[in-house]
Amino acid sequence: GPPPREPMRQPAPAQRPETAADAAPAVTLTSLGDVAALAEQMRAPKLKFAVERQMRPVRFEPGRIEVAMMPNAPVTLAGELGTRLTDWTGTRWLVVVSSEEGGETIYEGQTRSAEERLANAAADPIVAAVLNHFPGAEIVDVRITETEEPSLEAPLPDDEPEEE
């Protein structure tokens, strides 16, 4: 017959795997950006992608998010996001699909701010002078660098070999 099930007799103690609610008791979500960040933290890349590219924010209240969906968004997205947020935060979240237009997606906002940075850079007199000096040059990327003290550990450029 089947082997005796001796070791399984006592009911499992209540140490269920810790839920996100235990791990992160104070998750404050105030925007779709926060939701995307949480999805990334909880290792849900598909959901993060969907939040960033397929949802336009309409209204955001504690426990209730209203979004307009992009045409390419899966029908189940709002319900799935609501369920996951509820699991992750331990608070009930409802994601409602609105018929309103909604704002821009996170991705559109990031793309637009990158384009704005490029436009602002092109308007910068020093950059303009450089571009004039090198015909055909174009701005490909703009990085906003934090200004801080130059670090002493910065490696020296080792372009030329030391010994002759």
Side-chain angles (χ1 to χ4, degrees):
R5 302 192 56 188
E6 202 52 64
M8 287 299 287
R9 202 177 30 190
Q10 78 279 27
Q15 29 181 155
R16 50 185 175 69
E18 63 173 309
T19 62
D22 300 331
V27 181
T28 313
L29 301 175
T30 56
S31 67
L32 285 183
D34 292 350
V35 173
L38 180 62
E40 180 170 22
Q41 214 180 318
M42 304 309 281
R43 297 188 176 73
K46 281 211 195 77
L47 207 54
K48 175 179 189 269
F49 179 89
V51 169
E52 288 182 338
R53 292 174 185 242
Q54 298 176 333
M55 298 183 146
R56 298 177 171 282
V58 174
R59 248 175 235 96
F60 206 107
E61 299 158 16
R64 187 171 189 280
I65 306 172
E66 260 183 75
V67 291
M69 290 293 183
M70 297 289 276
N72 58 347
V75 186
T76 53
L77 182 56
E80 185 189 342
L81 182 61
T83 305
R84 300 291 279 282
L85 286 178
T86 301
D87 289 350
W88 290 339
T89 60
T91 314
R92 176 138 168 69
W93 279 88
L94 192 62
V95 180
V96 182
V97 178
S98 169
S99 54
E100 290 177 45
E101 187 92 349
E104 59 189 2
T105 65
I106 295 172
Y107 178 69
E108 286 169 341
Q110 287 168 345
T111 310
R112 185 175 49 76
S113 59
E115 282 166 4
E116 279 170 6
R117 283 202 302 272
L118 294 183
N120 293 344
D124 182 287
I126 297 170
V127 175
V130 170
L131 291 177
N132 287 337
H133 197 74
F134 297 101
E138 57 178 88
I139 305 171
V140 181
D141 189 17
V142 177
R143 291 191 176 79
I144 312 297
T145 53
E146 255 77 300
T147 39
E148 29 179 84
E149 297 303 306
S151 114
L152 297 175
E153 289 113 81
L156 295 166
D158 49 9
D159 319 338
E160 54 235 54
E162 309 227 339
E163 63 271 14
E164 294 297 300

